[in-house]
Amino acid sequence: MPQKRRSSPSVAQLKQAGNDCFRSGQYGEAASLYSRAIQLQERSGQSSTEELSILYSNRAASYLKDGNCTECVKDCTTSLSLVPFAIKPLLRRAAAYEALERYRLAYVDYKTVLQVDCSIPAAHDGTNRMTKVLQEQDGPSWREKLPPIPAVPLSVRESLAQAAAPVPPGQRNGVSSPGVAAEKLALALKEEGNALVKKGEHRKAAEKYSESLKLNPREATTYTNRALCYLSLKMHKEAVQDCGEALRLDSKNIKALYRRAQAHKQLKDYKACTRDLSALLKIEPGNMAAQKLLQEVQKTK
């Protein structure tokens, strides 16, 4: 009786076997299984770009665990060429660069991850570590020696944020919640605005805050941050409006009251300025900046 030929494992089966080996700590075997899956996927002529990117990223994780950081970097770079700005290969490449003491490249990858999703602790921790190392290594001018940090396009951030958003309980169609995705993207844009403020680029920062507010108009601090930019740009009426929105969301917002008072002063509306400062000092009587500004206004009147 003729023996039945065994069917060759599929890409999905090889990938699953690789995942199982990885979980059990068999990193070399996992890398071998991912390699077979990659070869099969590439030979099939029906290569899914996203699936192939995941396979390279998974093999990179195996190499990283095995201490083969150079191969990890190669695989992550290939994975990212297939799906640019994917979070896992960026994090894995950053970790490999860090292990290889290529700290500037590690910093760039960690910062790129934060552009995509600013809520990832590993990226924050990695950025902080690299900042300390580079400050020690390169001194005060360490930022000048960094390679360019790529700007993640808004469309990419939006699609990746949507893909990463958790599916709400009871939702069966697999579609991620647009509300969660929008909030995450709004927070990322707000963080970009904060970074631009620190550089003194208030016009660009205001644009980032505006993009953020389109996605999440219920974040009071984004309004007060944009108001700060408007004050620097001498757009005092716009600052008053933003502080008003912030106070509508949070009636005891100290920054909104103070910045609106500053804007009113510049607009020579001393009565409104005094009213805001008085309201602020009822909430926080020891606020020195408000006390000083109130004295200045009272002298002006």
Side-chain angles (χ1 to χ4, degrees):
M1 187 174 176
Q3 287 186 337
K4 290 183 180 180
R5 282 178 57 186
R6 282 187 180 180
S7 59
S8 300
S10 66
V11 170
Q13 288 170 331
L14 288 167
K15 179 186 172 187
Q16 185 58 53
N19 293 350
D20 292 340
C21 285
F22 185 89
R23 290 191 196 98
S24 63
Q26 301 174 64
Y27 304 121
E29 183 60 26
S32 177
L33 287 161
Y34 292 137
S35 296
R36 288 172 60 191
I38 289 167
Q39 290 169 2
L40 186 59
Q41 181 84 306
E42 289 177 337
R43 281 202 308 263
S44 69
Q46 299 177 340
S47 292
S48 161
T49 301
E50 187 175 348
E51 183 62 30
L52 200 53
S53 174
I54 291 169
L55 288 169
Y56 274 107
S57 179
N58 286 5
R59 189 171 69 176
S62 302
Y63 286 145
L64 183 63
K65 287 287 190 179
D66 238 3
N68 193 344
C69 295
T70 301
E71 290 303 314
C72 174
V73 167
K74 287 180 184 177
D75 270 5
C76 288
T77 302
T78 301
S79 177
L80 289 162
S81 71
L82 294 164
V83 178
F85 305 112
I87 288 173
K88 285 185 178 180
L90 276 170
L91 281 173
R92 287 163 184 167
R93 189 170 69 178
Y97 278 143
E98 187 174 349
L100 292 166
E101 298 183 5
R102 299 173 71 179
Y103 300 124
R104 294 183 192 125
L105 292 173
Y107 179 90
V108 168
D109 277 351
Y110 284 129
K111 288 293 283 185
T112 304
V113 170
L114 290 175
Q115 284 188 69
V116 181
D117 186 343
C118 65
S119 67
I120 295 177
H124 281 289
D125 293 344
T127 301
N128 292 337
R129 281 197 309 275
M130 295 306 95
T131 299
K132 288 177 184 175
V133 170
L134 290 169
Q135 284 173 339
E136 292 174 4
Q137 177 181 289
D138 297 331
S141 61
W142 67 275
R143 289 184 186 277
E144 297 170 16
K145 299 178 182 179
L146 289 172
I149 298 173
V152 181
L154 183 62
S155 58
V156 171
R157 280 178 290 175
E158 194 165 16
S159 63
L160 288 171
Q162 286 173 346
V167 178
Q171 191 173 44
R172 297 180 181 179
N173 59 6
V175 178
S176 57
S177 165
V180 174
E183 283 183 18
K184 289 180 75 174
L185 184 53
L187 183 58
L189 288 162
K190 178 185 166 188
E191 292 291 337
E192 286 184 42
N194 294 348
L196 288 164
V197 167
K198 289 177 183 175
K199 295 178 183 177
E201 298 180 30
H202 293 99
R203 193 171 296 280
K204 288 182 180 178
E207 290 171 3
K208 292 293 181 184
Y209 293 137
S210 296
E211 288 180 46
S212 178
L213 287 165
K214 285 178 185 175
L215 293 164
N216 183 11
R218 298 189 60 78
E219 180 59 48
T221 55
T222 311
Y223 284 109
T224 56
N225 289 2
R226 190 170 67 174
L228 175 65
C229 296
Y230 285 151
L231 285 169
S232 298
L233 296 166
K234 302 189 186 306
M235 297 169 66
H236 300 115
K237 289 181 180 178
E238 289 81 356
V240 168
Q241 289 174 354
D242 269 6
C243 291
E245 286 298 320
L247 288 163
R248 185 175 60 80
L249 295 164
D250 175 8
S251 62
K252 295 183 179 180
N253 190 304
I254 297 293
K255 286 183 179 179
L257 286 166
Y258 184 73
R259 288 171 186 169
R260 189 167 70 175
Q262 289 178 299
H264 281 315
K265 181 177 181 249
Q266 294 302 317
L267 292 166
K268 302 190 186 309
D269 189 345
Y270 302 122
K271 186 176 179 181
C273 178
T274 301
R275 188 167 57 243
D276 279 343
L277 291 170
S278 299
L280 189 162
L281 289 167
K282 282 183 182 177
I283 301 165
E284 196 174 281
N287 191 303
M288 299 296 290
Q291 290 173 7
K292 184 180 177 183
L293 186 58
L294 183 58
Q295 287 172 1
E296 289 174 9
V297 173
Q298 287 171 340
K299 286 178 186 177
T300 306
K301 293 194 296 183

